[in-house]
């Protein structure tokens, strides 16, 4: 009938590129804002990926201090500028980052294929303002922590993975997507040990996010980014394997993996998390900002770790 207008879902939202322009953000800053929850996205009902509602753009534009406040909330700095913000030397800043006391939010590869870690300026200022950190900023590094640094401790890749996993899980809308997020941080060999059914493994891979783009696919830079994306610490791998096993147990009854008509699913043996794989390193640091355990510390029983990585992420967000 004349005068009647049908409103499509896409009329109520816009693409990420359009939203970035509306908010005055570079695309990389916009993606980080989404990652941090500063900008809320919605699924595209037509299957085209995530979108941003016009109501969300209006909410952000009407906030006090826009656009400066939004821009500052996603401002990132490297080691030199981060050290200046915290009023410490670059060497001390690097030690704090390797110990997991300040956590990177992004990384990129420079022209020499060296990893450059980036940190939220907002978080660094908060860390420096906390009086509990005065000795870490101005005093002598405790001997126990110095020993860990001399042994090669570097929690920056692991902490970045934990942060990235939190973002992927936040964006997931069903168990298969959560399983894909966990699988994205495991080596394919590890995933194959857990998901032995080839049809199920193929279905899981549909939900496995790609690593952040760095260089052309197959390039040395892309391979380095994949290595950073892949867990290499024994405890981290064990937690991811345990959580993936548990989430798959939720995903199977939710929506079984498709398979040829008439073929029955073969029961899968339970695969316990293991640290015997040759992919695992000898080093065993604790998660996030906690010091690594001593080499002779025994791992916690599996039933206590079954919610390891997911539980840790939920405690951080609480």
């Amino acid at each position: 009938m004349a005068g009647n207008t049908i409103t499509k879902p896409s009329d109520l939202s816009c693409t990420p590129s359009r939203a970035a322009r509306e908010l005055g953000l570079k695309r990389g800053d916009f993606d980080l804002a989404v990652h941090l929850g500063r900008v809320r996205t919605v699924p595209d009902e037509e299957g085209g990926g995530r979108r941003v509602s016009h109501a969300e753009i209006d909410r952000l534009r009407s906030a006090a201090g826009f656009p400066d406040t939004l821009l500052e909330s996603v401002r990132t700095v490297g080691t030199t500028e981060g050290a200046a913000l915290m009023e410490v030397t670059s060497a001390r800043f690097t030690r704090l980052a390797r110990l997991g006391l300040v956590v990177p939010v992004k990384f990129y590869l420079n022209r020499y294929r060296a990893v450059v870690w980036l940190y939220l300026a907002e978080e660094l200022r908060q860390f420096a303002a906390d009086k509990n950190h005065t000795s870490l900023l101005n005093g002598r590094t405790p001997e126990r922590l110095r020993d860990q640094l001399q042994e090669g401790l570097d929690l920056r890749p692991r902490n970045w993975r934990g942060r990235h996993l939190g973002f992927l899980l936040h964006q997931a809308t069903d168990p298969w997507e959560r399983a894909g997020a966990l699988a994205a941080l495991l080596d394919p060999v590890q995933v194959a040990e857990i998901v032995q059914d080839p049809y199920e493994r193929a279905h899981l891979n549909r939900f496995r996010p790609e690593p952040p783009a760095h260089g052309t696919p197959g390039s040395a830079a892309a391979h380095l980014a994949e290595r950073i994306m892949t867990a290499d610490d024994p405890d981290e791998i064990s937690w991811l394997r345990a959580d993936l096993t548990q989430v798959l147990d939720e995903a199977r009854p939710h929506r079984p993996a498709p398979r040829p008509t008439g073929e029955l699913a073969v029961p899968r043996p339970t695969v316990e998390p293991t640290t015997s794989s040759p992919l695992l390193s000898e080093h065993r640091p604790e998660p996030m900002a906690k010091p690594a355990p001593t080499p002779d510390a025994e791992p916690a029983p599996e039933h206590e770790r079954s919610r390891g990585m997911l539980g840790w992420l939920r405690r951080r967000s609480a």
Side-chain angles (χ1 to χ4, degrees):
M1 183 165 69
N4 286 348
T5 303
I6 300 176
T7 301
K8 299 184 295 183
S10 58
D11 295 333
L12 303 175
S13 61
C14 62
T15 64
S17 296
R18 171 69 182 275
R21 291 195 299 271
E22 293 280 345
L23 296 172
L25 295 173
K26 296 178 181 178
R27 183 54 194 269
D29 290 337
F30 172 83
D31 291 341
L32 179 58
V34 172
H35 183 134
L36 297 171
R38 308 282 196 268
V39 178
R40 298 190 294 255
T41 62
V42 295
D44 185 351
E45 296 185 12
E46 299 176 2
R50 310 286 299 185
R51 295 174 67 88
V52 181
S53 69
H54 295 306
E56 174 69 356
I57 293 175
D58 292 341
R59 180 187 72 83
L60 292 165
R61 289 176 63 90
S62 64
F66 178 86
D68 295 339
T69 303
L70 179 61
L71 287 168
E72 185 60 25
S73 73
V74 295
R75 185 164 75 91
T76 57
V77 295
T79 297
T80 301
E81 192 174 355
L85 275 177
M86 298 175 66
E87 299 183 356
V88 298
T89 65
S90 295
R92 183 180 289 267
F93 182 91
T94 299
R95 290 197 296 271
L96 294 173
R98 288 178 57 192
L99 289 166
L101 298 172
V102 293
V103 180
V105 71
K106 292 172 62 176
F107 72 90
Y108 70 90
L109 307 178
N110 64 18
R111 59 180 177 174
Y112 304 108
R113 296 177 186 164
V115 180
V116 179
W117 297 103
L118 298 175
Y119 307 81
L120 279 177
E122 182 180 74
E123 290 184 351
L124 299 184
R125 283 194 295 268
Q126 292 172 356
F127 185 94
D130 190 334
K131 293 182 179 179
N132 294 323
H133 299 151
T134 301
S135 62
L136 291 169
L137 296 172
N138 302 318
R140 182 175 175 80
T141 303
E143 183 178 356
R144 176 172 55 86
L145 299 182
R146 291 201 308 271
D147 290 344
Q148 291 172 358
L149 291 171
Q150 291 174 0
E151 292 170 1
L153 176 66
D154 188 350
L155 293 178
R156 288 173 296 183
R158 178 173 177 174
N159 283 349
W160 175 84
R161 285 193 295 271
R163 196 163 207 166
H164 188 64
L165 177 60
F167 166 66
L168 295 176
L169 292 173
H170 179 73
Q171 294 287 339
T173 58
D174 76 359
W176 280 107
E177 290 185 5
R178 291 197 294 274
L182 291 160
L185 270 62
L186 285 169
D187 187 280
V189 174
Q190 299 277 344
V191 176
E193 290 180 5
I194 298 170
V195 191
Q196 299 185 6
D197 184 318
Y199 297 110
E200 192 173 81
R201 192 160 60 247
H203 186 60
L204 174 64
N205 285 337
R206 291 180 52 205
F207 300 95
R208 181 173 177 150
E210 293 294 327
H214 290 278
T216 57
S219 66
H223 286 311
L224 179 55
E226 289 177 8
R227 287 202 299 273
I228 292 174
M229 182 81 172
T230 305
D232 60 2
D233 176 78
D235 286 337
E236 182 186 12
I237 291 171
S238 292
W239 289 338
L240 288 168
R241 287 175 61 110
D243 286 340
L244 177 57
T245 300
Q246 184 163 354
V247 173
L248 284 171
D249 288 341
E250 300 171 7
R252 289 173 183 125
H254 173 76
R255 187 174 64 251
R259 60 186 61 251
T261 304
E263 180 167 336
L264 299 177
V266 178
R268 291 160 297 277
T270 301
V271 179
E272 296 294 335
T274 177
T275 56
S276 61
S277 169
L279 296 171
L280 309 184
S281 67
E282 293 294 326
H283 198 54
R284 292 173 169 265
E286 286 286 337
M288 294 299 292
K290 297 180 181 179
T294 56
D296 59 346
E298 296 186 1
E302 183 55 40
H303 69 277
E304 294 181 6
R305 297 186 302 176
S306 61
R307 299 297 292 171
M309 186 64 73
L310 290 176
W312 167 71
L313 287 167
R314 288 168 183 159
R315 289 196 299 274
R316 286 189 73 234
S317 62

